[in-house]
Amino acid sequence: MKTVLRQLGRYRRDTWLCIAMTTLEVIMEILLPFITALIIDQGLEAASLPTVYRYGILMVFMSFCSLACGALGGKFAASASAGLAANLREAVYNNIQTFSFSNIDKFSVPGLVTRMTTDITNVQNAYMMLIRVAVRSPLMLVFSYVMCLIISPKLSLTFLLAVLFLAVVLGAIMVVTMRIFTEVFNKYDDLNASVQENVSAIRVVKAFVREDYENKKFAKASQNLYRLFVKAEGLLAFNNPAMMLAVYFCIIMVSWLGAHFIVGGSMSAGELTSLFSYVMSLMMSLMMLSMVVVMITMSMASIRRISEVLNETPDLAEPESPVYKVSDGSIDFDHVDFSYKHGSGKNALSDIDLHIRSGETIGVIGGTGSGKSSLVNLICRLYDTDKGDVKVGGVDVRRYDMETLRNEVSVVLQKNTLFSGSILDNLRWGNPDATEEECKAACRAACADEFIDRFPDGYNTHIERGGANVSGGQKQRLCIARALLKKPKVLILDDSTSAVDTATDAKIRAAFAKEIPGTTKIIIAQRISSVEHADRILVLDNGRINGFDTHENLLKTNAIYREIYESQVKGGGDFDQPA
């Protein structure tokens, strides 16, 4: 709770103003039945019209004051709750930006989306009720009970029994339902995951005619959510019967005992009338409190989930005295071990001892799961090693300022992503200050200019979200051009030319040799033709180095490389290249 409330910031003022206005509103409402009793006892029974007029005008004035305070209280409550939600979303989003890949893996993308939408909305609604209803109801409860004590101490003891009964019932319901709502929001993650997976892969779903399967999977997730909500709401439904039982008990006691007190002369008619008003106010306060209990019960699960994200410490921390300059593109792995779950003993990379000179072109090849992507992820410090050091420019990557390192180590990841906007907007992710001519030069080097020039709007062509309106090969070339605009000291292509033909692949490699000769280039590929012209080729097998030499030497000495080469050559080579 403290973690969440720390995000209030400048909206603390609105919170306190809301509480102040609500308090004034309650005071006015509490005094109105008291004045009604004075009108009955001193005005109507004494047949004094001036007294009725005087107190009547006072009641009208107090009613308007109560209305004004209530309206202002509602305005400040809306401002404070919406402001808290806005600050929470910003804080969660900013903290997510600092997460390493391992932090994101811990929560999952659908889980983070649920926290930033459903969970924060629950907290917003709960906070509005907390500073409005949860302030008004206890004040109304206490003040009403104090007035009841002033009017009739004996009758007030019966009201206390009703309050204790309700407190026990509501407490029991809250304890049980809180556990259920915690499970509910975990099921929301499953539901969001199902929707996100289906929508993002809708082409694959339709291509394999799996709509029925996806519908059943979504229906199952939705049914689980429905079942838990019914269970929780079924328990919360006991609130109303318990409340009505307490209300009718109090009304019966006031009617029966009050009549005896009036006959006995210890209570006036005006006091009994005001007592009815205070009893109803007291019971309505309890009813509103039960609504607050429901909302807080739901929000507590959300608060815990939001706090988990806010309190999550990024696995990758900036060094105390960071290095802000990468001298060259040399790369050294000194007996590196790495696993995605530290301490699990399941290494993705084991004893990697590798030394790459600045400006070299290195090919990386190996089977699926051999550790190719894991290897390059360590160079730009997307993860940290379990054992050993990774150095770029002769300096351990953990000593660099991360922004400096990632600006000098440009990566075109295996999964290419473009963002909605023009082609120029996407290219300038690599360099926000790049001129149009620099963008065009990068596209020529990546062989992207040949298809961009065919678009009617050229470099101003709008790209749909995720690059939905360009092909896989076009998307890859735009991502390579974007990386080239950073003018990095190290360029990593993680299987980033798999969707382009070998002729275009060869043109891209030739452009690299001409345009960025001093940049260290690491090319991960599945086909031999993409890496055979590299200075040296790294062969990985089950997270270990199996070979590291030139194409010719590996053909002679490395069985895995020779097997891959022969299978591709005997199979007819690449689809657009003769054997």
Side-chain angles (χ1 to χ4, degrees), residues 375-408:
L375 182 86
V376 297
N377 283 341
L378 297 178
I379 298 173
C380 53
R381 207 190 170 199
L382 295 177
Y383 296 92
D384 272 342
T385 63
D386 291 352
K387 180 183 175 184
D389 302 324
V390 179
K391 296 177 181 177
V392 175
V395 177
D396 192 318
V397 293
R398 287 170 291 198
R399 290 183 53 204
Y400 281 113
D401 170 69
M402 278 191 278
E403 187 175 332
T404 299
L405 177 66
R406 290 170 186 171
N407 275 331
E408 295 293 356

Side-chain angles (χ1 to χ4, degrees), residues 275-479:
L275 198 61
F276 270 113
S277 297
Y278 288 128
V279 168
M280 290 309 298
S281 294
L282 191 147
M283 292 296 110
M284 286 304 297
S285 299
L286 283 172
M287 189 173 290
M288 286 191 289
L289 273 176
S290 71
M291 292 169 57
V292 173
V293 166
V294 173
M295 185 60 70
I296 290 176
T297 301
M298 291 179 63
S299 67
M300 285 305 293
S302 295
I303 287 170
R304 280 199 298 272
R305 286 159 54 83
I306 294 167
S307 298
E308 285 174 1
V309 180
L310 290 174
N311 292 328
E312 179 73 8
T313 303
D315 288 347
L316 306 180
E318 293 282 6
E320 290 184 5
S321 301
V323 177
Y324 289 99
K325 182 175 175 58
V326 180
S327 59
D328 57 49
S330 62
I331 300 168
D332 299 287
F333 283 74
D334 294 330
H335 300 285
V336 167
D337 288 352
F338 168 70
S339 62
Y340 286 98
K341 290 187 177 179
H342 299 312
S344 64
K346 297 179 180 178
N347 285 352
L349 297 171
S350 300
D351 196 28
I352 301 295
D353 195 54
L354 182 66
H355 305 281
I356 300 168
R357 294 182 293 273
S358 182
E360 272 193 298
T361 298
I362 303 296
V364 182
I365 202 161
T368 303
S370 60
K372 303 185 295 295
S373 296
S374 301
L375 182 86
V376 297
N377 283 341
L378 297 178
I379 298 173
C380 53
R381 207 190 170 199
L382 295 177
Y383 296 92
D384 272 342
T385 63
D386 291 352
K387 180 183 175 184
D389 302 324
V390 179
K391 296 177 181 177
V392 175
V395 177
D396 192 318
V397 293
R398 287 170 291 198
R399 290 183 53 204
Y400 281 113
D401 170 69
M402 278 191 278
E403 187 175 332
T404 299
L405 177 66
R406 290 170 186 171
N407 275 331
E408 295 293 356
V409 181
S410 193
V411 185
V412 183
L413 295 169
Q414 196 168 16
K415 186 179 179 181
N416 299 290
T417 302
L418 295 175
F419 299 87
S420 55
S422 68
I423 288 176
L424 281 175
D425 290 338
N426 274 276
L427 292 172
R428 284 177 177 142
W429 273 67
N431 179 5
D433 301 319
T435 64
E436 190 168 338
E437 281 306 313
E438 287 175 323
C439 292
K440 289 180 178 179
C443 288
R444 283 194 294 271
C447 295
D449 59 323
E450 58 188 46
F451 70 83
I452 295 174
D453 291 337
R454 292 199 298 269
F455 291 146
D457 296 326
Y459 285 82
N460 292 311
T461 299
H462 182 76
I463 299 292
E464 301 293 339
R465 186 175 65 86
N469 59 334
V470 291
S471 70
Q474 290 171 340
K475 192 188 297 185
Q476 284 186 337
R477 283 179 275 176
L478 285 172
C479 289

Side-chain angles (χ1 to χ4, degrees), residues 485-498:
L485 275 172
K486 293 177 78 171
K487 297 181 175 61
K489 288 188 168 62
V490 178
L491 175 65
I492 298 170
L493 303 181
D494 187 355
D495 205 12
S496 304
T497 56
S498 58

Side-chain angles (χ1 to χ4, degrees), residues 114-366:
T114 305
R115 284 166 167 85
M116 290 192 65
T117 51
T118 306
D119 286 327
I120 289 181
T121 300
N122 284 338
V123 172
Q124 177 180 346
N125 294 335
Y127 189 69
M128 177 179 278
M129 292 194 75
L130 195 66
I131 61 174
R132 184 88 172 114
V133 181
V135 170
R136 175 187 170 84
S137 298
L139 287 175
M140 185 69 79
L141 186 71
V142 171
F143 289 162
S144 295
Y145 193 71
V146 168
M147 294 305 289
C148 288
L149 281 171
I150 292 171
I151 295 169
S152 176
K154 292 180 181 178
L155 266 177
S156 301
L157 292 174
T158 60
F159 308 152
L160 188 59
L161 291 174
V163 171
L164 291 174
F165 164 75
L166 280 176
V168 171
V169 172
L170 295 179
I173 292 172
M174 186 174 179
V175 169
V176 177
T177 53
M178 194 176 293
R179 288 199 297 269
I180 299 173
F181 280 121
T182 299
E183 192 176 350
V184 162
F185 292 115
N186 289 333
K187 295 298 180 185
Y188 262 125
D189 291 350
D190 295 340
L191 192 73
N192 280 350
S194 178
V195 173
Q196 187 181 44
E197 193 173 52
N198 181 272
V199 172
S200 61
I202 191 68
R203 289 175 175 80
V204 179
V205 172
K206 291 188 177 297
F208 284 87
V209 197
R210 297 285 282 178
E211 291 93 341
D212 287 343
Y213 171 78
E214 288 295 323
N215 286 341
K216 288 176 183 176
K217 188 169 76 171
F218 178 82
K220 182 180 178 182
S222 182
Q223 187 66 27
N224 287 335
L225 200 60
Y226 161 80
R227 179 178 52 80
L228 286 169
F229 261 121
V230 168
K231 186 177 179 181
E233 295 294 343
L235 288 169
L236 292 173
F238 283 102
N239 279 357
N240 200 48
M243 179 63 62
M244 297 313 296
L245 180 64
V247 168
Y248 288 127
F249 170 76
C250 290
I251 289 173
I252 290 169
M253 294 303 293
V254 169
S255 301
W256 183 51
L257 293 176
H260 283 283
F261 291 154
I262 289 175
V263 172
S266 60
M267 182 183 291
S268 68
E271 287 174 334
L272 181 62
T273 303
S274 63
L275 198 61
F276 270 113
S277 297
Y278 288 128
V279 168
M280 290 309 298
S281 294
L282 191 147
M283 292 296 110
M284 286 304 297
S285 299
L286 283 172
M287 189 173 290
M288 286 191 289
L289 273 176
S290 71
M291 292 169 57
V292 173
V293 166
V294 173
M295 185 60 70
I296 290 176
T297 301
M298 291 179 63
S299 67
M300 285 305 293
S302 295
I303 287 170
R304 280 199 298 272
R305 286 159 54 83
I306 294 167
S307 298
E308 285 174 1
V309 180
L310 290 174
N311 292 328
E312 179 73 8
T313 303
D315 288 347
L316 306 180
E318 293 282 6
E320 290 184 5
S321 301
V323 177
Y324 289 99
K325 182 175 175 58
V326 180
S327 59
D328 57 49
S330 62
I331 300 168
D332 299 287
F333 283 74
D334 294 330
H335 300 285
V336 167
D337 288 352
F338 168 70
S339 62
Y340 286 98
K341 290 187 177 179
H342 299 312
S344 64
K346 297 179 180 178
N347 285 352
L349 297 171
S350 300
D351 196 28
I352 301 295
D353 195 54
L354 182 66
H355 305 281
I356 300 168
R357 294 182 293 273
S358 182
E360 272 193 298
T361 298
I362 303 296
V364 182
I365 202 161

Side-chain angles (χ1 to χ4, degrees), residues 468-574:
N469 59 334
V470 291
S471 70
Q474 290 171 340
K475 192 188 297 185
Q476 284 186 337
R477 283 179 275 176
L478 285 172
C479 289
I480 292 170
R482 181 173 67 188
L484 288 174
L485 275 172
K486 293 177 78 171
K487 297 181 175 61
K489 288 188 168 62
V490 178
L491 175 65
I492 298 170
L493 303 181
D494 187 355
D495 205 12
S496 304
T497 56
S498 58
V500 301
D501 57 78
T502 47
T504 304
D505 188 11
K507 287 180 185 177
I508 292 171
R509 284 186 278 108
F512 285 172
K514 181 182 177 183
E515 299 291 336
I516 49 172
T519 297
T520 304
K521 296 166 281 292
I522 299 177
I523 302 170
I524 297 176
Q526 297 292 340
R527 56 192 183 196
I528 294 291
S529 62
S530 295
V531 298
E532 63 180 335
H533 300 291
D535 296 320
R536 287 185 290 173
I537 300 167
L538 175 67
V539 182
L540 289 174
D541 181 41
N542 290 325
R544 294 180 179 274
I545 295 177
N546 188 267
F548 187 41
D549 212 330
T550 62
H551 169 72
E552 292 77 13
N553 289 339
L554 286 173
L555 282 177
K556 297 174 186 176
T557 61
N558 191 274
I560 293 177
Y561 187 79
R562 187 166 54 250
E563 183 184 347
I564 296 171
Y565 178 79
E566 288 176 355
S567 67
Q568 291 187 10
V569 171
K570 288 179 181 177
D574 293 322

